[in-house]
């Protein structure tokens, strides 16, 4: 059995080879380094690269399973995967910790006015009268109620925030004071002080947010996007920020990635940006490999994969 | 009965007057505005001003109770208060929310490398390989296990941190994975990644931390002081930061306040400073007045005060 990784996995390579000495592993630095023969003969693929497209998959005639070392699988060619009966699992949950940390780094950076702090320090100003707003009592609205929003919502509650979640059906989820279906969002957008997108990109979520959604917000809202940049067109977001339909945005993901230096987003003073890094963590490869190993035991026993199996019809 | 406030209380003034129409309230903008007669005749004093010193108290011959609209009472003349049988209550707990928010604003500002984020944004750099350290698994050591550290420790645990608390006897407290007495601190300083001082200033805590304490830290520690600046001499702290005995400090309180622009702290690049503002909040006056009103009912019924009574022998 041939297992091909399109990235180096550091100390996880040894771990895999020691734990499964009967299997043949190949680790490459980049998709472009993989010999044609390996693509044709591999049974299992480890990757998170955009090079895994329709052309690539059609060459992989022996492929049975892709372990995606990231959460968002939207770049994969679902129809081809279905036609070739290839299963997909992902690294959902691995990024929850880092994302939750960044989410509160962003919220508290804003509410505790950290930039103003640095300005005062640089100017040697001791202004002990300064009062910053509190997150307690604020309403935080999550687009998505999956593993990551749940984790973040529980922390938000401990900070005294009121948590609202949007999901497909509006079903209740632990950690959320209220939940609604995404279609009902108009009635909750206005009362949200912080709006966080953590939805995956699917046919249903791509360009979900329109200018009207931002017009429904209360003008003072903070919009934080840690999900996928395609939740809203960049041109609409720029217009929203220029028109001050919201107070400020913290963005980690963009409609087009990598974000080009020419993007008008760089010219706005009410946006803080990171480079799709909020899920990155030193432990991610280890945690994703934990998931892979758990599933690999099942695969070798000819049992169904049981952790983080992606529904190719839903796209997440 | 005459109740004198050395500060204006905004809408809380009306609230008090409406709720206690039989009492005589006086609200002044500053201690210097209070007539001598009011000082001599007042039964109850509301204040948090350093002007409430021995001389002031000796003039207040009718005074029975001081409601201190802050937490730290270390500036009060305890011996004079005891001699005149004056009770003190404080606003302990009112600042817990704001302090907890600032604590995590500081920790996450550091761990998520927010300054580096701003630098990249300004330079239009899209560096999607950047990985930031996670607070999960890190050990956070609290000097103090009172209301504020307890609240912060619970949030720290939800972020996956290991919480250690130091108090007088080493008794267990909810929210802390381990607790030790302050005298045993040498054995836990080394393993702490984040060290937070939230101790009040008392005879026992003034200048508690010596250079030796910082030498016992692991060299990579983050030191955060939200308690009282007098926990360590400024000269020692400057030496510690210059010698890189710790990685970085976030300071809100100082040995001498207000901090003078000449302080050498301003010249260091491994310190972030705020101006004793981390307890400030728009709701503080309301929350402290809640405590005052609760106690005032007891006072008027000639019952013992029952909320936030300061032990004048312990000094907190």
């Amino acid at each position: 059995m041939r297992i091909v990784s399109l990235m180096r996995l550091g100390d996880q390579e040894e771990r895999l080879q020691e734990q499964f000495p009967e299997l043949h592993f190949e680790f490459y630095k980049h998709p472009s380094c993989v010999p044609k023969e390996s693509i044709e003969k591999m049974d299992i693929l480890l990757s998170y690269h955009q090079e895994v497209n329709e052309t690539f998959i059609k060459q992989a005639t022996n492929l049975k399973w892709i372990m995606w070392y990231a959460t968002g699988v939207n770049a994969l060619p679902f129809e081809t995967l279905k036609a070739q009966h290839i299963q997909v699992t992902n690294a959902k949950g691995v990024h929850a910790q880092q994302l939750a940390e960044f989410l509160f780094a962003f919220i508290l950076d804003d509410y505790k006015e950290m930039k103003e702090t640095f300005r005062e320090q640089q100017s040697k100003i001791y202004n002990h009268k300064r009062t910053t707003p509190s997150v307690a009592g604020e309403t935080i609205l999550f687009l998505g109620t999956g593993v990551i929003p749940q984790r973040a919502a529980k922390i938000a509650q401990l900070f005294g925030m009121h948590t609202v979640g949007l999901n497909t059906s509006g079903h209740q989820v632990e950690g959320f004071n209220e939940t609604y279906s995404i279609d009902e969002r108009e009635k909750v957008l206005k009362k949200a002080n912080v709006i966080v997108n953590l939805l995956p990109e699917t046919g249903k979520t791509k360009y979900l947010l329109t200018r009207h959604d931002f017009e429904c917000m209360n003008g003072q809202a903070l919009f934080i996007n840690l999900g996928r940049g395609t939740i809203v067109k960049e041109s609409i977001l720029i217009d929203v920020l220029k028109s001050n339909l919201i107070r400020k945005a913290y963005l980690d993901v963009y409609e087009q990635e990598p974000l080009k230096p020419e993007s008008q987003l760089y010219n706005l003073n009410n946006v803080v940006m990171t480079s799709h890094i909020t899920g990155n963590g030193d432990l991610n490869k280890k945690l994703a490999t934990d998931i892979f190993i758990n599933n690999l035991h099942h695969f070798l026993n000819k049992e169904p994969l049981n952790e983080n199996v992606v529904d190719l019809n839903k796209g997440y």
Side-chain angles (χ1 to χ4, degrees), chain A residues 4 20 36 43 52 71 85 122 132 134 170 176 182 186 210 284 287-288 298 301:
Chain A
V4 172
F20 300 94
K36 193 158 179 284
D43 298 271
V52 181
T71 301
H85 303 290
Q122 286 182 322
T132 59
S134 171
F176 295 91
I182 289 175
E186 188 166 327
T210 62
N284 286 9
L287 296 169
H298 290 281
N301 291 333

Side-chain angles (χ1 to χ4, degrees), chain A residues 143-161:
Chain A
L143 280 69
T145 60
V147 176
I148 299 168
Q150 276 175 50
R151 187 154 167 57
K154 284 175 193 165
I155 297 171
Q157 285 184 327
L158 204 48
F159 271 115
M161 302 179 86

